[in-house]
Amino acid sequence: MELDTGSALSLMTQRDFMKIFKKKPTLLPSAVNLKTYTGEIIHPLGKTTVRLTTPTQNKLLYLYILPKGSNPIFGRDWINQVQINWRSLQQLNKIDSQFSTSTIKQKFKDLFGEGIGKIKDREATLEVMEGSTPRFLKARPVPFAIKQKVEKTLDELEQQDILSKVNYSEWATPIVPVLKKSGDVRICGDFKVTINPVLKTEQYTLPRLDDMMASLENGTKFSKIDLRQAYFQLPLKESCKHLTTINTSKGLYVFNRLVFGITSAPAIWQKTMDQILQGLPGVLCNQDDMVISGRTEEEHHKNLLMVLEKLQDCGMKANFNKCAFYMDEVVFCGIKISCKGLHKTEDKVKAIQDAPVPSKKSQLRSFLGLVNYYHKWLKNVAQIAKPLYNLLQNNTPFNWSEDCQTAFGTIKSMVASELVLTHYNPSLPLKLATDASPYGLGAVISHVTQEGERPISFDSRTLSKAEQGYSQLDKEALAIVWAVKKFFFYLCGRHFTLITDHQPLKYIFSPDKGIPAMSAARQQRYAVFLSGFNYSIEYRNSKVNANADSLSRLPLPVSDTDSETNDDTDELYYQEVVESIPVSAKSIDKESRHDVTIARVLNYVTKDDWPSSIEPELRPFHIRRHKLCVQQECLLWGHRVIPPRKLQQQILQTLHQGHMGIAKMKALARRYFWWPGIDKDIETMSKSYKQILYKRKSIKRIPLMLRLYEAFLKFL
């Protein structure tokens, strides 16, 4: 039994009672009503008399039987009548964590079951400002190759009661389909062009970090709970569902649950979770991440059971595979919590402390830019860094001496010390600066104080082999998304300023503008992810963005498998689109290398190094340079393939085999291809076959469409 001085009576559940007592004692009626820590009233099924025997004692005692609960409890009524050798019980007083972990899933079947939960008796409310004009935007075209998957996903969400079909709405938001690693499609709404600008943002003040940590500071064991698709578990109020209407190829749907991408969602969710967990001891929740602890192992176990029971009673679902129980330490909001107290995590300054030695002047110049950025807090830094500045002089060979190494190590220690770093404070403004070099990513999250920007944490990592092949635009976008994920617990539910030194991203990721339909799939997916955060974006010249620039040029080595942002989904997307066209990706790759114009554009896109003077044949590409990308060594504009000149005629002939007419040929071509003058080339070919157009009824269906239909059949 579990010895509990907080319980007035000794208790056992009906299930344990039936299991332990082969000869069932008669239950006597009981007028006692019990109250739990959460205020819930429990009526015992009855009480029975049991004999408790020890080597020195023999007692008849009452045991109260409950309809449900946890371990049997040895309460104060028995403690008062039974003499206990406390020292002999110290070893028996510990809970077997392995046993508890193995039985938790069985005990809370509903909580850890499949599907998406639905919180009982609570609803989220969305309100728009008075006088707001509804915005109805038409559905965006979906590439043929993934259209079938999009419609299948819509049907599944409707069956799960996440979506409901409607015939009319004043509001309509276009969707952005995102491919998952599994090949399935996730449906996201581009709400920043409809309701987000006019939404009354939920104002919910997050507690200070010191206050939050007070409930965990003396913990001995820790457990983490991960909720399954958290926002989808909170129902929306009927009167505001129409605000979430999405416009799809299958018509209009409304969300029945709170949806990611709405600016108020983080605050609404946090407020709801705080209300649900109110009064429960030893629990701390930040969005969908929950930590439970206790001053002793027994208290932690009891707190954990109370939280799990509360979540299950509310109708919620948790992902058992992502939960962790009875841990010795846990990281929360960038602070390591253990039985020894609160500690800074090493990764806050690891990017500085483990930064590699500069191997050339450009890297050293970038590092000294970081030093200058924080020079006001670094005493005598100019004198300390003198050997490093001497290396930057003209006609001086780059010879890394012992003095340079000493200065480099001293400066890194100073930057990573309390002289520069500050603690996270929810009441101070946040800035997140990011940068990408040809081989690394860097990020710094800072508070804006009266003295200037004070960093909270630094981070960096090298690019994987696949990521090094991205265009510079995609690398900079990757740096932003990676940094936001890295510092998620600082940023979620708060407004912050996002700083980049790549100006096109200011427009692509603008929180006030829609996601560009012709942006590359990778950028669209990144924009959808960022739409769930409350931020403003600011352009800062590379020379001024020295803190993040330095980290990206001296990044920590990270293996491909450690990369936090995996872009296999883009490979899936382009495989669906590219493999649907009448020429293979291999042939496009081969011929692109021999096409002078395409080869030059590929080089410019990869290195993001367009010449200042643009030749006439390159102007159409230069105009679209911010939406060009490289995938499988093929040049694309958004999701349209740009074939080399040698293959253009072959593609036109395949398109024309159906003799559909100029308008239909152009419509079909625009789904898959683009090159300068494509419309004119289609018109020229169509006119040359004018005499055949009158006989088109007798012509067989084009092979391209047959191939597409065959490809779609496999998804049915």
Side-chain angles (χ1 to χ4, degrees):
M1 302 179 75
E2 184 176 334
L3 193 67
D4 187 1
T5 58
S7 176
L9 304 176
S10 297
L11 312 168
M12 180 178 287
T13 64
Q14 184 182 25
R15 184 181 63 181
D16 291 336
F17 176 76
M18 300 294 288
K19 185 190 301 183
I20 294 172
F21 294 96
K22 295 180 180 179
K23 295 182 179 180
K24 307 296 182 292
T26 303
L27 288 183
L28 305 174
S30 172
V32 173
N33 290 327
L34 305 176
K35 182 181 291 187
T36 67
Y37 275 99
T38 59
E40 180 184 3
I41 302 297
I42 297 179
H43 304 285
L45 299 174
K47 63 182 180 180
T48 186
T49 304
V50 297
R51 184 174 297 278
L52 187 147
T53 304
T54 73
T56 59
Q57 300 172 86
N58 192 320
K59 300 274 186 178
L60 283 175
L61 303 171
Y62 280 123
L63 179 65
Y64 290 79
I65 309 303
L66 306 182
K68 62 179 182 178
S70 55
N71 298 327
I73 291 178
F74 195 111
R76 291 198 304 270
D77 58 340
W78 284 20
I79 294 174
N80 291 333
Q81 297 190 51
V82 180
Q83 295 180 3
I84 298 174
N85 185 343
W86 295 96
R87 292 184 178 180
S88 67
L89 288 178
Q90 285 177 358
Q91 298 302 319
L92 302 176
N93 206 24
K94 294 184 179 179
I95 296 172
D96 183 354
S97 62
Q98 293 297 326
F99 174 79
S100 299
T101 301
S102 63
T103 56
I104 279 177
K105 187 175 183 180
Q106 182 68 22
K107 186 178 181 63
F108 299 96
K109 290 182 179 179
D110 293 339
L111 176 63
F112 296 113
E114 296 297 324
I116 300 174
K118 184 178 181 181
I119 299 177
K120 302 175 183 177
D121 304 325
R122 296 181 188 275
E123 292 180 327
T125 303
L126 304 176
E127 295 184 31
V128 295
M129 302 175 186
E130 294 183 6
S132 301
T133 303
R135 295 202 66 187
F136 187 99
L137 301 182
K138 65 179 183 179
R140 291 176 180 169
V142 178
F144 249 168
I146 62 172
K147 186 175 181 181
Q148 196 82 6
K149 291 186 176 183
V150 170
E151 295 181 351
K152 179 184 176 183
T153 302
L154 290 171
D155 292 338
E156 291 174 351
L157 291 174
E158 188 175 8
Q159 292 173 4
Q160 296 172 357
D161 193 39
I162 305 299
L163 290 177
S164 293
K165 210 168 192 320
V166 295
N167 297 321
Y168 169 80
S169 177
E170 293 182 331
W171 295 85
T173 300
I175 65 168
V176 181
V178 177
L179 273 176
K180 301 179 182 178
K181 295 179 184 179
S182 62
D184 297 330
V185 173
R186 182 169 70 249
I187 303 297
C188 304
D190 190 7
F191 294 106
K192 64 181 182 179
V193 294
T194 52
I195 65 170
N196 279 353
V198 296
L199 200 62
K200 288 184 179 179
T201 305
E202 182 84 13
Q203 299 296 330
Y204 185 70
T205 304
L206 297 176
R208 289 179 57 86
L209 187 62
D210 293 341
D211 297 335
M212 290 192 296
M213 295 304 173
S215 59
L216 302 180
E217 190 171 0
N218 297 319
T220 55
K221 290 289 183 180
F222 306 89
S223 296
K224 295 184 73 172
I225 307 298
D226 181 83
L227 298 175
R228 190 190 300 273
Q229 298 192 46
Y231 289 2
F232 274 175
Q233 299 196 41
L234 182 58
L236 273 176
K237 195 172 182 178
E238 189 67 35
S239 60
C240 62
K241 288 182 180 179
H242 67 285
L243 298 173
T244 66
T245 305
I246 54 175
N247 204 346
T248 74
S249 57
K250 291 193 65 177
L252 300 175
Y253 292 84
V254 296
F255 277 96
N256 297 319
R257 313 284 182 89
L258 187 64
V259 57
F260 183 83
I262 295 177
T263 53
S264 295
I268 293 173
W269 176 259
Q270 185 67 46
K271 181 178 180 180
T272 302
M273 290 306 301
D274 287 350
Q275 291 173 347
I276 290 175
L277 300 174
Q278 186 177 12
L280 296 182
V283 58
L284 183 58
C285 179
N286 190 347
Q287 293 298 303
D288 59 348
D289 194 23
M290 202 176 305
V291 179
I292 301 101
S293 184
R295 290 170 294 181
T296 63
E297 292 187 19
E298 295 81 3
E299 185 177 294
H300 165 244
H301 181 70
K302 184 182 295 185
N303 293 344
L304 174 62
L305 292 180
M306 285 192 292
V307 171
L308 295 178
E309 286 178 1
K310 187 66 174 180
L311 296 178
Q312 183 167 267
D313 292 343
C314 287
M316 303 179 75
K317 297 282 186 182
N319 191 337
F320 185 81
N321 295 329
K322 293 185 178 180
C323 296
F325 303 100
Y326 305 100
M327 301 166 65
D328 292 326
E329 61 182 32
V330 67
V331 176
F332 193 82
C333 289
I335 293 180
K336 184 187 294 183
I337 310 168
S338 70
C339 60
K340 297 180 181 179
L342 308 181
H343 316 277
K344 287 184 180 178
T345 54
E346 296 176 358
D347 58 356
K348 269 190 173 185
V349 293
K350 186 178 179 64
I352 296 293
Q353 292 176 336
D354 296 348
V357 172
S359 59
K360 49 187 176 181
K361 287 189 177 183
S362 60
Q363 292 179 341
L364 177 58
R365 188 176 292 109
S366 181
F367 175 76
L368 292 175
L370 171 70
V371 174
N372 291 332
Y373 197 91
Y374 298 116
H375 75 279
K376 66 176 66 177
W377 292 287
L378 303 175
K379 188 176 181 181
N380 298 325
V381 69
Q383 185 65 28
I384 297 172
K386 188 175 180 180
L388 303 180
Y389 283 110
N390 291 337
L391 279 183
L392 298 181
Q393 295 179 4
N394 294 333
N395 302 322
T396 300
F398 190 83
N399 183 18
W400 193 260
S401 64
E402 194 171 320
D403 290 341
C404 293
Q405 182 61 41
T406 301
F408 184 65
T410 302
I411 293 173
K412 288 198 301 181
S413 299
M414 293 172 68
V415 173
S417 70
E418 299 292 341
L419 296 172
V420 177
L421 285 177
T422 186
H423 292 288
Y424 173 72
N425 186 341
S427 62
L428 292 177
L430 274 177
K431 281 193 176 183
L432 178 62
T434 67
D435 189 56
S437 70
Y439 45 84
L441 306 177
V444 183
I445 184 169
S446 308
H447 271 317
V448 182
T449 65
Q450 294 180 350
E451 296 84 10
E453 290 183 21
R454 293 285 298 274
I456 302 168
S457 180
F458 303 94
D459 211 340
S460 70
R461 74 166 175 87
T462 53
L463 292 170
S464 67
K465 185 177 180 180
E467 291 166 346
Q468 290 177 22
Y470 290 0
S471 67
Q472 187 61 28
L473 178 66
D474 282 343
K475 289 175 183 174
E476 298 284 355
L478 172 63
I480 290 176
V481 173
W482 163 77
V484 171
K485 289 183 177 180
K486 189 71 179 179
F487 301 122
F488 174 84
F489 290 111
Y490 294 113
L491 304 175
C492 190
R494 287 204 53 187
H495 178 271
F496 63 96
T497 302
L498 186 59
I499 298 172
T500 177
D501 60 0
H502 210 70
Q503 195 152 11
L505 293 179
K506 182 179 178 181
Y507 304 100
I508 295 175
F509 292 160
S510 171
D512 303 322
K513 297 181 180 179
I515 299 172
M518 281 307 299
S519 292
R522 182 179 295 116
Q523 295 166 22
Q524 288 191 4
R525 192 176 78 254
Y526 290 168
V528 167
F529 169 74
L530 292 174
S531 67
F533 294 84
N534 182 12
Y535 69 95
S536 54
I537 190 165
E538 178 183 310
Y539 167 73
R540 180 185 286 176
N541 189 280
S542 298
K543 296 179 181 180
V544 187
N545 198 32
N547 51 347
D549 176 76
S550 174
L551 297 173
S552 70
R553 297 184 185 279
L554 295 171
L556 296 180
V558 180
S559 63
D560 290 5
T561 56
D562 292 333
S563 174
E564 294 191 13
T565 308
N566 192 312
D567 280 325
D568 291 344
T569 50
D570 291 303
E571 295 291 343
L572 289 168
Y573 179 89
Y574 288 113
Q575 183 179 356
E576 297 282 356
V577 175
V578 175
E579 296 302 327
S580 301
I581 64 178
V583 289
S584 68
K586 289 184 179 179
S587 63
I588 294 176
D589 175 22
K590 180 180 177 181
E591 296 301 333
S592 294
R593 299 177 186 178
H594 298 93
D595 188 303
V596 177
T597 302
I598 297 295
R600 291 175 64 187
V601 174
L602 281 169
N603 183 56
Y604 296 149
V605 171
T606 303
K607 297 182 178 179
D608 193 34
D609 187 21
W610 288 83
S612 55
S613 178
I614 302 299
E615 301 171 18
E617 63 268 20
L618 295 179
R619 285 175 185 168
F621 299 97
H622 185 262
I623 294 172
R624 297 167 174 82
R625 65 188 182 279
H626 299 318
K627 297 179 182 178
L628 296 179
C629 65
V630 179
Q631 194 71 29
Q632 296 176 282
E633 305 304 323
C634 299
L635 184 64
L636 289 91
W637 174 38
H639 61 263
R640 301 178 187 179
V641 180
I642 304 178
R645 185 176 298 276
K646 186 174 181 178
L647 298 179
Q648 292 173 7
Q649 192 65 24
Q650 177 185 341
I651 292 171
L652 289 175
Q653 289 175 354
T654 307
L655 287 171
H656 195 269
Q657 287 178 15
H659 309 284
M660 301 174 293
I662 295 176
K664 290 185 178 180
M665 281 183 64
K666 288 181 179 179
L668 183 59
R670 286 170 185 155
R671 289 174 178 166
Y672 298 98
F673 307 103
W674 175 84
W675 64 80
I678 183 174
D679 288 350
K680 186 177 180 180
D681 292 345
I682 291 175
E683 293 172 3
T684 301
M685 172 167 280
S686 297
K687 290 177 181 178
S688 65
Y689 286 92
K690 187 175 181 180
Q691 66 275 17
I692 305 178
L693 293 178
Y694 296 102
K695 302 178 183 179
R696 62 182 175 182
K697 291 184 179 180
S698 63
I699 302 298
K700 295 181 179 180
R701 186 177 295 164
I702 64 172
L704 172 61
M705 295 304 295
L706 282 175
R707 290 183 59 191
L708 290 175
Y709 291 148
E710 290 173 357
F712 292 153
L713 286 176
K714 69 180 181 181
F715 298 119
L716 296 180

